[in-house]
Amino acid sequence: MIPPRDLPAHPVVAPQASAAAALLVDAFAEYNARFADITRRARRRFERRDWHSSSLDARQRIDLYDICIRETQGRLDGLLDDRVRSRPLWAAMRRAFEQQIAGLTDREFYKTWFNSLSRRHFNTRGIASEIEFVALEREPDSEGSDAAPHRHYDVLGDLPSACARMLADAGFAYADPSGGAVALARALEARLHVAGLPTVEVIDLLETVFYRDRRAYLVGRLRVGHRRHPLVIALTHTNHGVRVDALLTVREHISILFGYARSYFHADIGNVGAIVAFVRALLPHKPLEELYAVLGRAKQGKTERYRRVFSHLAIHPEERLVHADGKRGMVMAVFTLRDLPVVFKLIRDRFAWPKDMVRKQVEEKYRLVFHHDRVGRLIDAQEFGQLRFPLRQFDEKLLHELLDECAESVRVDGDDLVIGHCYVEHRMRPMDLYVREADPAEAVRAMCDYGQAIKDLAGSNIFPGDLLLKNFGISRNGRAVFYDYDELCMLGDCHFRALPKLHEDDEMQSLQDSVYAAPDDVFPELFVNFLGVPKPLREALIEAHGEIFDPAWWCSLQDRLRAGDYVDVPPYPPEACLTDRVSPNA
């Protein structure tokens, strides 16, 4: 790591800096302990089928970081009094802090914590290397993929016995322990046969169990000779006990499970870096920021994304920031890097008609998504402030638009543009472009998945609001994901209506003149009019998911959700499920 610039020592500052640094180290340790306490509840929630409390825990854990930061700010103010904004003092605190965390695991988390406090105290624009840890100076990973605590299971020609030991070691009360082990072994043998692989020799499973929503996951790898293959066993808890629901051995399926459109796992992890190294060895194309975030370390995920973006810009000074592909947004200005799959979204100062919301409402929509179960259909949008970019790297038209239409969020500072507030997301291909570019069969498949995405979101009590294809993207794995949240709302807040039948004397009137629509009224029969796709794609969607154009279907789903029903949205395809699958709400 590049050492910080030496600053003159201050005989009075040094003891105070050391005490303040110790306060920050202890404060992060306290946050970490509270984070772990919430996380450890996941097993109890799963075993008791306490899904309501599980949902509350997920939201509480997301909010915990900012709560603890505010508490620490108060303690720091009490300790330092009027010196709390002394930059020389913070520089000395930085050096003392680095010394105090030198022997700790997950030191990068501590540095992110320090930076959060420093940046809030000084409202830092860009980087202040003397009073924060520069993200680009990340220490190299010292953890190997074998450092994570895991168990070894020698198969020795008896795969059912190995599977039985794996399930038994997880310690759950299974509905059919022997039957589940046999079914798991048969499924694994079948997958190996299809993949053309010989019999597995050893299975390694992480000791940590991963929980999310109403499922638990055993994560590991298959060893076949010198090769390593990913393995995930999904468990559900029905009224009759825990069952093996699915077996995932395809990297694409496991990548989706750990993807940026999923809510965060609750996994009791002592050394997060070691777990990240283990999973990344199985999913080598998965960016670090996605792995840290999906393990619940959202702030570290932000740090890793910052590091990747600005390291890329430093290495490629010729790289240009340009408008993202797709139609111009009425609420957001969106730009990207040509060679890095991220987009930056800034809220415009004024919204074009018919948008009648304000900035605060847009921000509330993004906060809603941050706390909600994303069911694999809502992209993780990370909120950033005070990002500093060289002006020379902006495309001229883009720069003009940002200065003219996002003046509340940007300002020129010397040779840089400082972005006061934005959202950063993984870049996907806008669906309206994708279906025009893809071959017919892929376009049909995408349209059908778009319909399934709408159903999945509805089952999680989310209505996207604006169903235009331009608001959906297609992921690398071919999944339709929604990413435009300004019209998004809870399904229960919508009033789904059928179009009234027009009388003969009304036939010359436009629909707008003949139908009164309240702000929350939704007319599903009109959805098809706004697809903007060729007839074959429209017909394929109607054939596969015609219900989404029927107001009765939406009203029926609302009634189910209000009655407390649960719509299961498995985070893996049907082919991954075992034959005796039973839904976790059974």
Side-chain angles (χ1 to χ4, degrees):
M1 182 173 187
I2 301 172
R5 179 171 57 88
D6 287 334
L7 295 170
H10 194 297
V12 177
V13 168
Q16 197 173 31
S18 180
L23 185 154
L24 299 190
V25 172
D26 290 344
F28 180 79
E30 180 184 340
Y31 158 73
N32 223 22
R34 291 164 68 176
F35 182 97
D37 286 343
I38 298 173
T39 300
R40 277 192 288 269
R41 296 176 198 161
R43 183 178 185 99
R44 185 167 70 251
R45 306 303 191 204
F46 180 77
E47 291 178 331
R48 297 179 180 179
R49 305 183 76 242
D50 186 358
W51 312 130
H52 176 70
S53 296
S54 177
S55 178
L56 293 178
D57 287 345
R59 292 195 289 273
Q60 181 183 354
R61 200 181 69 167
I62 285 172
D63 291 334
L64 182 64
Y65 190 92
D66 285 337
I67 291 171
C68 291
I69 283 288
R70 288 194 296 271
E71 292 174 356
T72 305
Q73 284 180 298
R75 294 177 200 166
L76 204 56
D77 289 345
L79 175 67
L80 300 181
D81 197 19
D82 58 351
R83 302 207 64 193
V84 74
R85 285 180 174 78
S86 164
R87 295 180 79 91
L89 174 58
W90 273 84
M93 286 167 54
R94 181 198 184 281
R95 293 195 298 273
F97 188 87
E98 186 169 23
Q99 292 172 358
Q100 292 178 26
I101 67 171
L104 303 177
T105 58
D106 290 323
R107 287 185 296 278
E108 294 296 320
F109 291 4
Y110 285 83
K111 294 176 183 178
T112 295
W113 177 261
F114 186 97
N115 288 356
S116 294
L117 288 155
S118 171
R119 296 180 69 83
R120 292 190 190 202
H121 272 98
F122 294 97
N123 194 28
T124 305
R125 296 178 175 86
I127 295 173
S129 58
E130 73 279 9
I131 58 171
E132 66 178 295
F133 293 93
V134 180
L136 305 189
E137 300 172 352
R138 188 187 205 279
E139 293 184 53
D141 288 320
S142 58
E143 308 287 2
S145 60
D146 289 326
H150 58 281
R151 300 187 181 96
H152 304 276
Y153 298 91
D154 293 315
V155 174
L156 302 175
D158 189 353
L159 190 54
S161 292
C163 290
R165 295 197 304 275
M166 288 191 297
L167 295 178
D169 286 346
F172 294 114
Y174 297 97
D176 181 8
S178 59
V182 170
L184 180 60
R186 287 175 179 169
L188 185 52
E189 287 174 342
R191 308 289 168 78
L192 292 170
H193 177 73
V194 170
L197 296 173
T199 303
V200 62
E201 299 166 3
V202 177
I203 300 175
D204 298 324
L205 275 189
L206 291 174
E207 293 180 6
T208 300
V209 179
F210 293 66
Y211 300 89
R212 184 168 60 200
D213 193 28
R214 303 191 180 197
R215 286 175 168 80
Y217 301 90
L218 310 180
V219 178
R221 63 193 178 194
L222 306 172
R223 285 198 262 162
V224 182
H226 296 293
R227 289 180 288 180
R228 304 289 186 269
H229 300 273
L231 167 75
V232 173
I233 301 167
L235 307 174
T236 56
H237 195 173
T238 72
N239 284 331
H240 306 289
V242 176
R243 293 176 177 268
V244 179
D245 187 51
L247 171 67
L248 286 72
T249 56
V250 178
R251 275 194 172 85
E252 177 182 303
H253 298 163
I254 298 173
S255 179
I256 293 171
L257 188 71
F258 282 84
Y260 50 78
R262 295 285 173 190
S263 300
Y264 305 145
F265 283 114
H266 283 230
D268 186 18
I269 300 170
N271 184 340
V272 183
I275 298 294
V276 167
F278 185 97
V279 176
R280 202 179 191 204
L282 305 176
L283 304 172
H285 299 298
K286 183 70 67 177
L288 275 177
E289 64 259 29
E290 290 181 23
L291 291 177
Y292 277 109
V294 82
L295 292 177
R297 301 295 183 160
K299 291 294 182 180
Q300 192 60 33
K302 283 181 59 175
T303 296
E304 299 297 340
R305 173 160 274 166
Y306 179 97
R307 178 175 292 122
R308 190 156 73 111
V309 168
F310 285 91
S311 292
H312 178 87
L313 287 172
I315 295 170
H316 304 282
E318 76 289 348
E319 174 74 281
R320 302 283 281 173
L321 297 160
V322 298
H323 281 104
D325 291 341
K327 294 181 180 177
R328 180 184 186 274
M330 289 186 284
V331 172
M332 293 287 197
V334 186
F335 68 89
T336 187
L337 290 150
R338 286 197 180 98
D339 298 326
L340 202 64
V342 296
V343 293
F344 302 83
K345 301 173 69 172
L346 282 69
I347 302 175
R348 298 183 187 276
D349 299 337
R350 297 168 299 280
F351 307 148
W353 185 89
K355 303 288 186 179
D356 59 356
M357 62 190 67
V358 296
R359 170 184 286 269
K360 183 179 179 180
Q361 291 172 298
V362 176
E363 293 174 351
E364 288 172 351
K365 303 286 187 181
Y366 277 79
R367 278 194 290 271
L368 186 157
V369 171
F370 188 53
H371 289 83
H372 198 78
D373 180 11
R374 296 197 297 277
V375 295
R377 300 297 188 175
L378 296 169
I379 199 166
D380 191 12
Q382 295 174 323
E383 193 172 11
F384 280 85
Q386 308 302 339
L387 297 180
R388 182 181 290 270
F389 294 89
L391 282 169
R392 58 180 170 75
Q393 292 190 281
F394 281 90
D395 173 79
E396 185 176 346
K397 289 184 179 179
L398 169 62
L399 182 59
H400 182 271
E401 178 183 336
L402 296 180
L403 293 173
D404 185 51
E405 300 187 27
C406 303
E408 293 182 21
S409 300
V410 305
R411 62 184 287 266
V412 174
D413 184 10
D415 294 328
D416 297 329
L417 185 75
V418 177
I419 297 179
H421 180 264
C422 70
Y423 298 97
V424 184
E425 301 172 355
H426 184 92
R427 185 179 68 207
M428 294 184 292
R429 192 63 177 159
M431 189 167 174
D432 57 327
L433 302 181
Y434 180 87
V435 295
R436 292 205 300 265
E437 300 161 347
D439 64 64
E442 283 300 308
V444 166
R445 192 207 59 74
M447 285 300 296
C448 291
D449 195 60
Y450 159 81
Q452 187 60 53
I454 293 172
K455 287 183 175 179
D456 290 349
L457 289 170
S460 72
N461 199 24
I462 287 289
F463 181 63
D466 194 340
L467 300 180
L468 295 177
L469 296 191
K470 71 182 182 69
N471 297 322
F472 288 77
I474 297 294
S475 72
R476 181 177 57 85
N477 295 313
R479 287 175 58 82
V481 178
F482 188 66
Y483 53 53
D484 194 335
Y485 300 151
D486 55 88
E487 296 283 354
L488 178 144
C489 64
M490 304 300 288
L491 191 72
D493 295 336
C494 299
H495 180 209
F496 293 97
R497 293 178 54 190
L499 290 173
K501 293 182 179 180
L502 299 180
H503 299 292
E504 290 184 8
D505 55 352
D506 294 331
E507 290 180 353
M508 298 303 293
Q509 290 183 319
S510 69
L511 184 64
Q512 183 175 355
D513 293 334
S514 60
V515 179
Y516 169 76
D520 295 329
D521 284 348
V522 180
F523 297 92
E525 293 160 281
L526 295 177
F527 293 169
V528 72
N529 298 338
F530 302 102
L531 293 176
V533 296
K535 184 178 179 181
L537 296 182
R538 189 167 62 249
E539 290 178 342
L541 175 62
I542 294 172
E543 181 179 356
H545 302 289
E547 308 95 307
I548 64 176
F549 305 107
D550 181 1
W553 181 84
W554 290 95
C555 292
S556 174
L557 181 58
Q558 284 180 316
D559 290 341
R560 288 177 57 192
L561 294 175
R562 288 181 185 127
D565 197 1
Y566 168 73
V567 179
D568 187 33
V569 182
Y572 32 75
E575 59 265 28
C577 297
L578 303 188
T579 54
D580 63 344
R581 180 178 182 273
V582 179
S583 175
N585 61 321

